[in-house]
Short mmCIF file of all heavy atoms in Angstrom, two decimals:
data_model
loop_
_atom_site.label_atom_id
_atom_site.label_comp_id
_atom_site.label_asym_id
_atom_site.label_seq_id
_atom_site.Cartn_x
_atom_site.Cartn_y
_atom_site.Cartn_z
N MET A 1 -67.89 -141.39 19.03
CA MET A 1 -66.78 -140.43 19.08
C MET A 1 -67.22 -139.06 18.54
O MET A 1 -66.69 -138.05 18.92
CB MET A 1 -65.61 -140.94 18.26
CG MET A 1 -64.99 -142.18 18.92
SD MET A 1 -63.46 -142.65 18.14
CE MET A 1 -63.11 -144.16 19.02
N ALA A 2 -68.17 -139.10 17.63
CA ALA A 2 -68.65 -137.85 17.08
C ALA A 2 -69.36 -137.02 18.14
O ALA A 2 -69.52 -135.83 17.98
CB ALA A 2 -69.58 -138.11 15.91
N SER A 3 -69.77 -137.68 19.19
CA SER A 3 -70.52 -136.96 20.22
C SER A 3 -69.67 -135.88 20.88
O SER A 3 -70.16 -134.91 21.41
CB SER A 3 -71.03 -137.93 21.27
OG SER A 3 -69.94 -138.60 21.88
N VAL A 4 -68.36 -136.07 20.82
CA VAL A 4 -67.46 -135.07 21.40
C VAL A 4 -67.57 -133.76 20.64
O VAL A 4 -67.61 -132.69 21.21
CB VAL A 4 -66.00 -135.57 21.37
CG1 VAL A 4 -65.06 -134.49 21.91
CG2 VAL A 4 -65.87 -136.85 22.17
N TYR A 5 -67.66 -133.88 19.32
CA TYR A 5 -67.75 -132.68 18.49
C TYR A 5 -69.10 -131.99 18.66
O TYR A 5 -69.19 -130.78 18.74
CB TYR A 5 -67.52 -133.03 17.02
CG TYR A 5 -66.08 -133.39 16.74
CD1 TYR A 5 -65.67 -134.71 16.72
CD2 TYR A 5 -65.14 -132.39 16.53
CE1 TYR A 5 -64.36 -135.05 16.48
CE2 TYR A 5 -63.82 -132.72 16.30
CZ TYR A 5 -63.43 -134.06 16.27
OH TYR A 5 -62.13 -134.38 16.05
N THR A 6 -70.14 -132.79 18.68
CA THR A 6 -71.46 -132.20 18.82
C THR A 6 -71.60 -131.50 20.16
O THR A 6 -72.20 -130.45 20.26
CB THR A 6 -72.57 -133.27 18.66
OG1 THR A 6 -72.23 -134.37 19.47
CG2 THR A 6 -72.71 -133.70 17.23
N ALA A 7 -71.02 -132.10 21.17
CA ALA A 7 -71.10 -131.49 22.48
C ALA A 7 -70.34 -130.16 22.49
O ALA A 7 -70.70 -129.23 23.19
CB ALA A 7 -70.52 -132.42 23.54
N ASP A 8 -69.30 -130.10 21.68
CA ASP A 8 -68.51 -128.88 21.64
C ASP A 8 -69.22 -127.80 20.83
O ASP A 8 -69.11 -126.62 21.10
CB ASP A 8 -67.14 -129.18 21.01
CG ASP A 8 -66.13 -128.10 21.34
OD1 ASP A 8 -66.10 -127.68 22.50
OD2 ASP A 8 -65.40 -127.68 20.43
N ASN A 9 -69.97 -128.25 19.83
CA ASN A 9 -70.70 -127.29 19.01
C ASN A 9 -71.90 -126.71 19.75
O ASN A 9 -72.25 -125.56 19.57
CB ASN A 9 -71.17 -127.96 17.71
CG ASN A 9 -70.01 -128.19 16.76
OD1 ASN A 9 -69.00 -127.51 16.84
ND2 ASN A 9 -70.15 -129.16 15.88
N MET A 10 -72.50 -127.54 20.52
CA MET A 10 -73.63 -127.07 21.32
C MET A 10 -73.16 -126.00 22.28
O MET A 10 -72.12 -126.10 22.90
CB MET A 10 -74.24 -128.24 22.10
CG MET A 10 -74.80 -129.33 21.20
SD MET A 10 -76.30 -128.87 20.33
CE MET A 10 -77.49 -129.09 21.65
N ASP A 11 -73.97 -124.98 22.40
CA ASP A 11 -73.59 -123.86 23.26
C ASP A 11 -74.16 -124.06 24.66
O ASP A 11 -74.82 -123.21 25.21
CB ASP A 11 -74.08 -122.56 22.64
CG ASP A 11 -73.33 -121.37 23.22
OD1 ASP A 11 -72.16 -121.53 23.61
OD2 ASP A 11 -73.92 -120.29 23.28
N ASN A 12 -73.90 -125.23 25.18
CA ASN A 12 -74.40 -125.53 26.52
C ASN A 12 -73.59 -124.78 27.57
O ASN A 12 -72.38 -124.81 27.56
CB ASN A 12 -74.31 -127.04 26.80
CG ASN A 12 -75.43 -127.79 26.13
OD1 ASN A 12 -76.48 -127.20 25.84
ND2 ASN A 12 -75.23 -129.06 25.88
N VAL A 13 -74.29 -124.16 28.45
CA VAL A 13 -73.62 -123.47 29.55
C VAL A 13 -73.72 -124.32 30.80
O VAL A 13 -74.73 -124.37 31.46
CB VAL A 13 -74.26 -122.09 29.80
CG1 VAL A 13 -73.52 -121.38 30.93
CG2 VAL A 13 -74.22 -121.25 28.54
N LEU A 14 -72.66 -125.03 31.06
CA LEU A 14 -72.65 -125.89 32.23
C LEU A 14 -72.26 -125.09 33.45
O LEU A 14 -71.45 -124.17 33.37
CB LEU A 14 -71.64 -127.02 32.01
CG LEU A 14 -71.98 -127.94 30.83
CD1 LEU A 14 -70.86 -128.95 30.64
CD2 LEU A 14 -73.30 -128.65 31.03
N PRO A 15 -72.83 -125.44 34.58
CA PRO A 15 -72.54 -124.71 35.82
C PRO A 15 -71.05 -124.64 36.13
O PRO A 15 -70.56 -123.62 36.59
CB PRO A 15 -73.27 -125.53 36.88
CG PRO A 15 -74.38 -126.19 36.16
CD PRO A 15 -73.84 -126.46 34.76
N GLU A 16 -70.34 -125.72 35.84
CA GLU A 16 -68.91 -125.74 36.17
C GLU A 16 -68.10 -124.86 35.23
O GLU A 16 -66.99 -124.48 35.52
CB GLU A 16 -68.39 -127.15 36.14
CG GLU A 16 -68.68 -127.86 34.84
CD GLU A 16 -68.32 -129.34 34.93
OE1 GLU A 16 -67.31 -129.63 35.59
OE2 GLU A 16 -69.04 -130.17 34.40
N LYS A 17 -68.70 -124.53 34.06
CA LYS A 17 -68.00 -123.68 33.12
C LYS A 17 -68.49 -122.24 33.16
O LYS A 17 -67.95 -121.37 32.51
CB LYS A 17 -68.18 -124.22 31.69
CG LYS A 17 -67.37 -125.48 31.43
CD LYS A 17 -67.47 -125.85 29.97
CE LYS A 17 -66.60 -127.08 29.68
NZ LYS A 17 -66.67 -127.45 28.26
N ALA A 18 -69.54 -122.01 33.90
CA ALA A 18 -70.15 -120.68 33.95
C ALA A 18 -69.19 -119.68 34.59
O ALA A 18 -68.48 -119.99 35.54
CB ALA A 18 -71.45 -120.73 34.71
N LYS A 19 -69.19 -118.49 34.00
CA LYS A 19 -68.36 -117.43 34.56
C LYS A 19 -69.23 -116.27 35.02
O LYS A 19 -70.29 -116.01 34.45
CB LYS A 19 -67.37 -116.92 33.51
CG LYS A 19 -66.29 -117.93 33.18
CD LYS A 19 -65.33 -117.33 32.17
CE LYS A 19 -64.22 -118.31 31.82
NZ LYS A 19 -63.28 -117.74 30.84
N CYS A 20 -68.75 -115.59 36.00
CA CYS A 20 -69.46 -114.43 36.52
C CYS A 20 -69.61 -113.37 35.43
O CYS A 20 -68.64 -113.03 34.74
CB CYS A 20 -68.69 -113.86 37.70
SG CYS A 20 -69.42 -112.35 38.36
N ALA A 21 -70.82 -112.88 35.26
CA ALA A 21 -71.11 -111.92 34.20
C ALA A 21 -70.42 -110.58 34.48
O ALA A 21 -70.29 -109.75 33.59
CB ALA A 21 -72.61 -111.72 34.09
N ARG A 22 -69.99 -110.38 35.69
CA ARG A 22 -69.39 -109.09 36.04
C ARG A 22 -67.86 -109.14 36.04
O ARG A 22 -67.21 -108.33 35.43
CB ARG A 22 -69.90 -108.63 37.41
CG ARG A 22 -69.25 -107.35 37.83
CD ARG A 22 -69.98 -106.68 38.96
NE ARG A 22 -69.22 -105.52 39.42
CZ ARG A 22 -69.23 -104.33 38.82
NH1 ARG A 22 -69.98 -104.15 37.78
NH2 ARG A 22 -68.51 -103.35 39.28
N CYS A 23 -67.31 -110.13 36.73
CA CYS A 23 -65.86 -110.12 36.90
C CYS A 23 -65.17 -111.29 36.19
O CYS A 23 -63.96 -111.30 36.06
CB CYS A 23 -65.52 -110.12 38.39
SG CYS A 23 -65.95 -111.65 39.22
N GLY A 24 -65.94 -112.26 35.71
CA GLY A 24 -65.36 -113.35 34.95
C GLY A 24 -64.85 -114.51 35.79
O GLY A 24 -64.33 -115.48 35.26
N TYR A 25 -65.02 -114.41 37.09
CA TYR A 25 -64.64 -115.51 37.95
C TYR A 25 -65.61 -116.67 37.77
O TYR A 25 -66.72 -116.48 37.32
CB TYR A 25 -64.68 -115.04 39.42
CG TYR A 25 -63.35 -114.51 39.91
CD1 TYR A 25 -62.73 -113.45 39.25
CD2 TYR A 25 -62.74 -115.04 41.04
CE1 TYR A 25 -61.53 -112.94 39.70
CE2 TYR A 25 -61.53 -114.53 41.50
CZ TYR A 25 -60.93 -113.49 40.82
OH TYR A 25 -59.75 -113.00 41.28
N PRO A 26 -65.16 -117.88 38.11
CA PRO A 26 -66.07 -119.02 38.07
C PRO A 26 -67.31 -118.75 38.91
O PRO A 26 -67.22 -118.39 40.07
CB PRO A 26 -65.23 -120.15 38.70
CG PRO A 26 -63.82 -119.76 38.42
CD PRO A 26 -63.79 -118.25 38.48
N ALA A 27 -68.45 -118.92 38.26
CA ALA A 27 -69.70 -118.56 38.92
C ALA A 27 -70.31 -119.74 39.66
O ALA A 27 -70.18 -120.89 39.25
CB ALA A 27 -70.67 -118.02 37.88
N LYS A 28 -70.97 -119.44 40.73
CA LYS A 28 -71.60 -120.48 41.54
C LYS A 28 -73.11 -120.32 41.57
O LYS A 28 -73.82 -121.26 41.87
CB LYS A 28 -71.05 -120.42 42.97
CG LYS A 28 -69.56 -120.68 43.05
CD LYS A 28 -69.08 -120.50 44.48
CE LYS A 28 -67.57 -120.70 44.56
NZ LYS A 28 -67.06 -120.40 45.91
N GLN A 29 -73.57 -119.14 41.30
CA GLN A 29 -75.01 -118.90 41.38
C GLN A 29 -75.46 -118.10 40.17
O GLN A 29 -74.71 -117.32 39.61
CB GLN A 29 -75.35 -118.16 42.67
CG GLN A 29 -74.56 -116.89 42.85
CD GLN A 29 -74.72 -116.34 44.26
OE1 GLN A 29 -75.19 -115.24 44.46
NE2 GLN A 29 -74.32 -117.14 45.24
N ARG A 30 -76.71 -118.30 39.77
CA ARG A 30 -77.20 -117.60 38.59
C ARG A 30 -78.38 -116.72 38.95
O ARG A 30 -79.01 -116.89 39.99
CB ARG A 30 -77.58 -118.60 37.51
CG ARG A 30 -78.67 -119.56 37.92
CD ARG A 30 -78.95 -120.54 36.81
NE ARG A 30 -79.85 -121.59 37.27
CZ ARG A 30 -80.31 -122.57 36.49
NH1 ARG A 30 -79.93 -122.63 35.24
NH2 ARG A 30 -81.12 -123.48 36.96
N CYS A 31 -78.65 -115.82 38.03
CA CYS A 31 -79.76 -114.91 38.21
C CYS A 31 -81.05 -115.70 38.37
O CYS A 31 -81.37 -116.56 37.56
CB CYS A 31 -79.85 -113.99 36.99
SG CYS A 31 -81.27 -112.90 37.04
N SER A 32 -81.79 -115.39 39.40
CA SER A 32 -83.03 -116.11 39.66
C SER A 32 -84.14 -115.66 38.71
O SER A 32 -85.16 -116.32 38.59
CB SER A 32 -83.47 -115.90 41.11
OG SER A 32 -83.64 -114.52 41.36
N GLY A 33 -83.91 -114.52 38.04
CA GLY A 33 -84.93 -114.01 37.14
C GLY A 33 -84.92 -114.73 35.81
O GLY A 33 -85.92 -115.33 35.41
N CYS A 34 -83.79 -114.70 35.11
CA CYS A 34 -83.72 -115.29 33.78
C CYS A 34 -83.01 -116.64 33.81
O CYS A 34 -83.11 -117.42 32.89
CB CYS A 34 -82.95 -114.34 32.85
SG CYS A 34 -81.26 -114.03 33.38
N LYS A 35 -82.27 -116.90 34.84
CA LYS A 35 -81.52 -118.15 34.99
C LYS A 35 -80.53 -118.33 33.83
O LYS A 35 -80.20 -119.44 33.45
CB LYS A 35 -82.45 -119.35 35.10
CG LYS A 35 -83.35 -119.28 36.32
CD LYS A 35 -84.08 -120.59 36.50
CE LYS A 35 -84.80 -120.62 37.86
NZ LYS A 35 -86.16 -120.24 37.79
N MET A 36 -80.08 -117.22 33.27
CA MET A 36 -79.14 -117.25 32.15
C MET A 36 -77.81 -116.64 32.56
O MET A 36 -76.75 -117.02 32.08
CB MET A 36 -79.71 -116.48 30.96
CG MET A 36 -81.03 -117.05 30.45
SD MET A 36 -80.82 -118.47 29.36
CE MET A 36 -80.26 -117.66 27.88
N GLU A 37 -77.85 -115.65 33.41
CA GLU A 37 -76.65 -114.97 33.85
C GLU A 37 -76.10 -115.62 35.10
O GLU A 37 -76.83 -116.04 35.98
CB GLU A 37 -76.99 -113.50 34.14
CG GLU A 37 -77.24 -112.69 32.89
CD GLU A 37 -75.97 -112.08 32.35
OE1 GLU A 37 -75.58 -111.00 32.78
OE2 GLU A 37 -75.38 -112.71 31.46
N TRP A 38 -74.78 -115.69 35.14
CA TRP A 38 -74.12 -116.33 36.28
C TRP A 38 -73.26 -115.32 37.02
O TRP A 38 -72.68 -114.41 36.42
CB TRP A 38 -73.26 -117.49 35.80
CG TRP A 38 -74.08 -118.67 35.41
CD1 TRP A 38 -74.70 -118.85 34.19
CD2 TRP A 38 -74.39 -119.82 36.20
NE1 TRP A 38 -75.37 -120.05 34.20
CE2 TRP A 38 -75.19 -120.67 35.41
CE3 TRP A 38 -74.05 -120.21 37.50
CZ2 TRP A 38 -75.66 -121.89 35.89
CZ3 TRP A 38 -74.51 -121.43 37.97
CH2 TRP A 38 -75.31 -122.25 37.16
N TYR A 39 -73.16 -115.53 38.32
CA TYR A 39 -72.36 -114.64 39.15
C TYR A 39 -71.58 -115.44 40.18
O TYR A 39 -72.03 -116.49 40.62
CB TYR A 39 -73.25 -113.62 39.86
CG TYR A 39 -74.04 -112.76 38.89
CD1 TYR A 39 -75.35 -113.07 38.58
CD2 TYR A 39 -73.46 -111.65 38.28
CE1 TYR A 39 -76.08 -112.31 37.70
CE2 TYR A 39 -74.17 -110.89 37.39
CZ TYR A 39 -75.49 -111.21 37.10
OH TYR A 39 -76.20 -110.46 36.22
N CYS A 40 -70.42 -114.93 40.53
CA CYS A 40 -69.59 -115.64 41.49
C CYS A 40 -70.05 -115.36 42.91
O CYS A 40 -69.85 -116.16 43.81
CB CYS A 40 -68.12 -115.24 41.32
SG CYS A 40 -67.78 -113.52 41.70
N ARG A 41 -70.64 -114.22 43.07
CA ARG A 41 -71.12 -113.86 44.40
C ARG A 41 -72.28 -112.88 44.29
O ARG A 41 -72.50 -112.28 43.24
CB ARG A 41 -69.99 -113.26 45.24
CG ARG A 41 -69.54 -111.90 44.72
CD ARG A 41 -68.45 -111.31 45.56
NE ARG A 41 -67.13 -111.83 45.17
CZ ARG A 41 -66.00 -111.43 45.72
NH1 ARG A 41 -66.01 -110.53 46.67
NH2 ARG A 41 -64.85 -111.92 45.30
N ARG A 42 -72.99 -112.75 45.37
CA ARG A 42 -74.17 -111.90 45.35
C ARG A 42 -73.79 -110.45 45.08
O ARG A 42 -74.53 -109.72 44.42
CB ARG A 42 -74.91 -112.03 46.68
CG ARG A 42 -76.11 -111.12 46.74
CD ARG A 42 -77.11 -111.56 47.81
NE ARG A 42 -78.24 -110.64 47.85
CZ ARG A 42 -79.25 -110.67 46.97
NH1 ARG A 42 -79.27 -111.58 46.04
NH2 ARG A 42 -80.23 -109.80 47.04
N GLN A 43 -72.65 -110.04 45.56
CA GLN A 43 -72.23 -108.65 45.37
C GLN A 43 -72.12 -108.32 43.89
O GLN A 43 -72.51 -107.24 43.44
CB GLN A 43 -70.89 -108.42 46.06
CG GLN A 43 -70.46 -106.95 46.01
CD GLN A 43 -69.12 -106.74 46.68
OE1 GLN A 43 -68.47 -107.70 47.08
NE2 GLN A 43 -68.71 -105.51 46.80
N CYS A 44 -71.59 -109.26 43.12
CA CYS A 44 -71.47 -109.06 41.69
C CYS A 44 -72.85 -108.96 41.04
O CYS A 44 -73.07 -108.13 40.16
CB CYS A 44 -70.68 -110.21 41.06
SG CYS A 44 -68.90 -110.01 41.21
N GLN A 45 -73.76 -109.78 41.48
CA GLN A 45 -75.09 -109.76 40.90
C GLN A 45 -75.77 -108.43 41.18
O GLN A 45 -76.42 -107.85 40.31
CB GLN A 45 -75.92 -110.90 41.47
CG GLN A 45 -77.30 -110.97 40.84
CD GLN A 45 -78.08 -112.18 41.29
OE1 GLN A 45 -77.60 -112.99 42.07
NE2 GLN A 45 -79.29 -112.32 40.81
N VAL A 46 -75.60 -107.94 42.38
CA VAL A 46 -76.21 -106.68 42.77
C VAL A 46 -75.63 -105.53 41.95
O VAL A 46 -76.35 -104.67 41.46
CB VAL A 46 -76.02 -106.43 44.28
CG1 VAL A 46 -76.46 -105.03 44.66
CG2 VAL A 46 -76.80 -107.47 45.08
N GLN A 47 -74.32 -105.54 41.76
CA GLN A 47 -73.67 -104.46 41.03
C GLN A 47 -73.99 -104.52 39.55
O GLN A 47 -74.01 -103.51 38.86
CB GLN A 47 -72.15 -104.52 41.25
CG GLN A 47 -71.78 -104.16 42.69
CD GLN A 47 -70.28 -104.19 42.90
OE1 GLN A 47 -69.54 -104.70 42.08
NE2 GLN A 47 -69.83 -103.65 44.01
N GLN A 48 -74.22 -105.70 39.05
CA GLN A 48 -74.50 -105.88 37.63
C GLN A 48 -75.98 -105.67 37.31
O GLN A 48 -76.35 -105.41 36.17
CB GLN A 48 -74.08 -107.29 37.19
CG GLN A 48 -74.15 -107.53 35.69
CD GLN A 48 -73.04 -106.80 34.94
OE1 GLN A 48 -72.21 -106.16 35.52
NE2 GLN A 48 -73.04 -106.90 33.63
N TRP A 49 -76.80 -105.73 38.32
CA TRP A 49 -78.25 -105.70 38.12
C TRP A 49 -78.75 -104.49 37.35
O TRP A 49 -79.58 -104.64 36.44
CB TRP A 49 -78.95 -105.83 39.47
CG TRP A 49 -80.44 -105.81 39.32
CD1 TRP A 49 -81.29 -104.86 39.80
CD2 TRP A 49 -81.27 -106.78 38.64
NE1 TRP A 49 -82.59 -105.17 39.45
CE2 TRP A 49 -82.60 -106.34 38.74
CE3 TRP A 49 -80.99 -107.95 37.95
CZ2 TRP A 49 -83.65 -107.05 38.18
CZ3 TRP A 49 -82.05 -108.66 37.38
CH2 TRP A 49 -83.36 -108.21 37.51
N PRO A 50 -78.29 -103.27 37.63
CA PRO A 50 -78.75 -102.11 36.86
C PRO A 50 -78.57 -102.28 35.36
O PRO A 50 -79.38 -101.80 34.57
CB PRO A 50 -77.89 -100.96 37.39
CG PRO A 50 -77.57 -101.36 38.78
CD PRO A 50 -77.39 -102.87 38.72
N LYS A 51 -77.50 -102.97 34.95
CA LYS A 51 -77.28 -103.22 33.52
C LYS A 51 -78.06 -104.43 33.05
O LYS A 51 -78.51 -104.51 31.91
CB LYS A 51 -75.79 -103.46 33.26
CG LYS A 51 -74.93 -102.23 33.48
CD LYS A 51 -73.49 -102.56 33.15
CE LYS A 51 -72.59 -101.34 33.37
NZ LYS A 51 -71.18 -101.67 33.10
N HIS A 52 -78.18 -105.39 33.93
CA HIS A 52 -78.73 -106.67 33.52
C HIS A 52 -80.26 -106.71 33.53
O HIS A 52 -80.86 -107.48 32.79
CB HIS A 52 -78.19 -107.77 34.43
CG HIS A 52 -78.81 -109.12 34.18
ND1 HIS A 52 -78.70 -109.79 32.98
CD2 HIS A 52 -79.59 -109.90 34.97
CE1 HIS A 52 -79.36 -110.93 33.06
NE2 HIS A 52 -79.92 -111.02 34.24
N LYS A 53 -80.88 -105.88 34.31
CA LYS A 53 -82.32 -106.03 34.54
C LYS A 53 -83.13 -105.87 33.24
O LYS A 53 -84.16 -106.52 33.08
CB LYS A 53 -82.81 -105.06 35.60
CG LYS A 53 -82.65 -103.60 35.24
CD LYS A 53 -83.21 -102.76 36.40
CE LYS A 53 -83.05 -101.27 36.14
NZ LYS A 53 -83.55 -100.48 37.29
N LYS A 54 -82.64 -105.04 32.33
CA LYS A 54 -83.36 -104.88 31.06
C LYS A 54 -83.30 -106.17 30.25
O LYS A 54 -84.28 -106.64 29.72
CB LYS A 54 -82.74 -103.74 30.25
CG LYS A 54 -82.83 -102.41 30.96
CD LYS A 54 -82.01 -101.35 30.23
CE LYS A 54 -81.93 -100.07 31.06
NZ LYS A 54 -80.99 -99.10 30.47
N VAL A 55 -82.07 -106.71 30.17
CA VAL A 55 -81.88 -107.96 29.44
C VAL A 55 -82.60 -109.09 30.16
O VAL A 55 -83.19 -109.97 29.53
CB VAL A 55 -80.38 -108.28 29.33
CG1 VAL A 55 -80.16 -109.54 28.49
CG2 VAL A 55 -79.64 -107.11 28.72
N CYS A 56 -82.56 -109.03 31.46
CA CYS A 56 -83.15 -110.09 32.27
C CYS A 56 -84.64 -110.21 32.00
O CYS A 56 -85.16 -111.29 31.81
CB CYS A 56 -82.90 -109.80 33.74
SG CYS A 56 -83.42 -111.13 34.83
N SER A 57 -85.32 -109.09 31.96
CA SER A 57 -86.77 -109.11 31.75
C SER A 57 -87.09 -109.63 30.36
O SER A 57 -88.08 -110.34 30.16
CB SER A 57 -87.34 -107.71 31.94
OG SER A 57 -86.76 -106.81 31.03
N GLN A 58 -86.22 -109.31 29.39
CA GLN A 58 -86.45 -109.79 28.03
C GLN A 58 -86.23 -111.30 27.97
O GLN A 58 -87.01 -112.03 27.38
CB GLN A 58 -85.49 -109.11 27.06
CG GLN A 58 -85.82 -107.64 26.86
CD GLN A 58 -84.83 -106.95 25.93
OE1 GLN A 58 -83.86 -107.55 25.52
NE2 GLN A 58 -85.07 -105.69 25.63
N MET A 59 -85.16 -111.76 28.59
CA MET A 59 -84.84 -113.19 28.53
C MET A 59 -85.86 -114.00 29.32
O MET A 59 -86.27 -115.08 28.90
CB MET A 59 -83.44 -113.44 29.09
CG MET A 59 -82.36 -113.00 28.11
SD MET A 59 -80.77 -113.72 28.45
CE MET A 59 -80.34 -112.90 29.97
N SER A 60 -86.27 -113.49 30.44
CA SER A 60 -87.25 -114.22 31.25
C SER A 60 -88.59 -114.25 30.53
O SER A 60 -89.39 -115.18 30.73
CB SER A 60 -87.39 -113.57 32.62
OG SER A 60 -87.77 -112.23 32.48
N ALA A 61 -88.84 -113.26 29.68
CA ALA A 61 -90.09 -113.25 28.91
C ALA A 61 -90.02 -114.30 27.81
O ALA A 61 -91.01 -114.95 27.50
CB ALA A 61 -90.32 -111.87 28.32
N VAL A 62 -88.84 -114.46 27.23
CA VAL A 62 -88.65 -115.44 26.16
C VAL A 62 -88.65 -116.85 26.72
O VAL A 62 -89.21 -117.77 26.16
CB VAL A 62 -87.32 -115.18 25.41
CG1 VAL A 62 -87.01 -116.31 24.44
CG2 VAL A 62 -87.39 -113.85 24.69
N THR A 63 -87.99 -117.00 27.84
CA THR A 63 -87.93 -118.31 28.48
C THR A 63 -89.31 -118.74 28.94
O THR A 63 -89.85 -118.22 29.90
CB THR A 63 -86.97 -118.27 29.70
OG1 THR A 63 -85.71 -117.79 29.26
CG2 THR A 63 -86.81 -119.66 30.27
N ASP A 64 -89.83 -119.69 28.23
CA ASP A 64 -91.19 -120.14 28.54
C ASP A 64 -91.13 -121.55 29.12
O ASP A 64 -91.24 -122.55 28.43
CB ASP A 64 -92.04 -120.11 27.26
CG ASP A 64 -93.52 -120.30 27.59
OD1 ASP A 64 -94.01 -119.59 28.48
OD2 ASP A 64 -94.14 -121.15 26.96
N THR A 65 -90.91 -121.59 30.41
CA THR A 65 -90.82 -122.88 31.08
C THR A 65 -92.22 -123.41 31.39
O THR A 65 -92.97 -122.79 32.12
CB THR A 65 -90.02 -122.75 32.39
OG1 THR A 65 -88.80 -122.11 32.11
CG2 THR A 65 -89.75 -124.12 32.99
N ALA A 66 -92.53 -124.52 30.81
CA ALA A 66 -93.86 -125.09 30.99
C ALA A 66 -94.01 -125.66 32.39
O ALA A 66 -93.20 -126.45 32.80
CB ALA A 66 -94.11 -126.17 29.96
ZN1 LIG B 1 -68.09 -111.88 40.10
ZN1 LIG B 2 -81.42 -112.25 34.90
#
């Protein structure tokens, strides 16, 4: 039963809970660069990219996928 609390404490970003970084709508696709940002549609990703690209490069640099 304690697993419910731990799961809530964990900051897991599940796809079904992900929200668009631009408009806040339920997101279906994520940034292919950092795989951290979510967007509801490609248009949102494109419009958000000028702001996100700096963060994206930093996050993708930190994300060290073996
Ligand atoms: Zn959106
Ligand atoms: Zn990104």
Side-chain angles (χ1 to χ4, degrees):
M1 292 189 185
S3 60
V4 177
Y5 289 96
T6 48
D8 198 44
N9 287 335
M10 298 289 281
D11 199 30
N12 282 337
V13 181
L14 298 175
E16 54 188 323
K17 287 186 177 181
K19 290 182 180 180
C20 176
R22 177 164 174 81
C23 68
Y25 268 58
K28 298 176 182 174
Q29 54 191 240
R30 61 182 171 177
C31 176
S32 59
C34 61
K35 298 189 170 95
M36 300 278 285
E37 287 271 274
W38 286 82
Y39 301 97
C40 65
R41 68 179 83 177
R42 177 160 179 79
Q43 185 181 6
C44 278
Q45 183 174 359
V46 171
Q47 291 181 347
Q48 188 73 2
W49 180 245
K51 292 182 180 178
H52 174 62
K53 63 179 178 182
K54 298 171 189 172
V55 184
C56 186
S57 59
Q58 290 178 355
M59 285 198 291
S60 58
V62 171
T63 305
D64 191 50
T65 309

